[in-house]
Amino acid sequence: MTRDDWSTIGALLCAAMTLPQPSQAKARNPDEERIIGSCIHQASLGQPWLEKTLWGLRDQEAGWIGAEIANTNGSYDLGPLQINTWWAARIATLIGRPEAHVRHWLRFDPCFNAEAARWVFLAALRSTGSYWKAVGAYHSPTAWRQRNYVGSVAGHLSSRFGKTVFGP
């Protein structure tokens, strides 16, 4: 990472301190967290940076097994990493399964949900070529929403892993 990247991260961490937390989050069940953690570890494919990223997204999204949260645009966010239903048809086509099955798995199978989160994030990383832009794109195609989201995820990463989460 360059100095500019670290400066950006520092600014995002400061901004994250003032952002509201998700309003529909529920209290976390320790047993469920262990299951989700195992799924995140598996989905990271042995890449520590990717595992940390998935935890940052999970902490921001604050979903749970079985979650189905309505959005104002008529879509829903599903499961622990809150995969938007917009992705369900694309994932269904990719894996050759009915969309209804994919939606069910996104809600109730935490490992499928974490795998989908990895796929969404890595697709954004390939298309943007930028780690932080990919984090923002995970949430929204809208630039101002991306900026707010990135700041909040950076704050979660710092809280969970310390201020040196990605470097010295």
Side-chain angles (χ1 to χ4, degrees):
M1 292 184 145
T2 68
R3 275 184 206 258
D4 288 341
D5 290 335
W6 289 112
S7 295
T8 301
I9 291 168
L12 293 170
L13 289 173
C14 291
M17 302 301 189
T18 62
L19 291 174
Q21 297 303 308
S23 61
Q24 296 188 13
K26 71 175 194 172
R28 293 191 175 178
N29 173 317
D31 293 332
E32 188 172 292
E33 285 302 299
R34 277 190 289 282
I35 293 166
I36 294 167
S38 176
C39 293
I40 286 173
H41 179 74
Q42 179 183 325
S44 72
L45 304 173
Q47 300 294 317
W49 69 271
L50 185 53
E51 185 168 354
K52 290 174 182 176
T53 301
L54 292 173
W55 272 113
L57 297 172
R58 189 271 184 275
D59 288 344
Q60 171 59 30
E61 295 296 340
W64 58 92
I65 299 170
E68 183 177 55
I69 307 299
N71 295 309
T72 57
N73 66 2
S75 68
Y76 291 84
D77 291 335
L78 306 175
L81 285 110
Q82 296 286 275
I83 305 299
N84 191 281
T85 52
W86 185 86
W87 290 103
R90 287 146 192 83
I91 294 169
T93 299
L94 185 68
I95 66 173
R97 299 302 293 262
E99 185 177 343
H101 291 180
V102 169
R103 286 177 69 125
H104 179 82
W105 296 330
L106 287 171
R107 275 188 77 191
F108 296 105
D109 181 337
C111 288
F112 188 83
N113 188 273
E115 296 280 341
R118 180 194 68 221
W119 181 77
V120 169
F121 172 74
L122 290 178
L125 185 58
R126 279 190 299 279
S127 70
T128 66
S130 163
Y131 177 85
W132 290 109
K133 286 181 182 178
V135 168
Y138 181 89
H139 175 65
S140 172
T142 308
W144 70 267
R145 286 190 172 116
Q146 290 177 0
R147 282 189 300 274
N148 290 342
Y149 188 83
V150 164
S152 191
V153 169
H156 286 293
L157 287 167
S158 180
S159 293
R160 181 177 281 272
F161 298 107
K163 293 191 186 305
T164 59
V165 61
F166 289 116

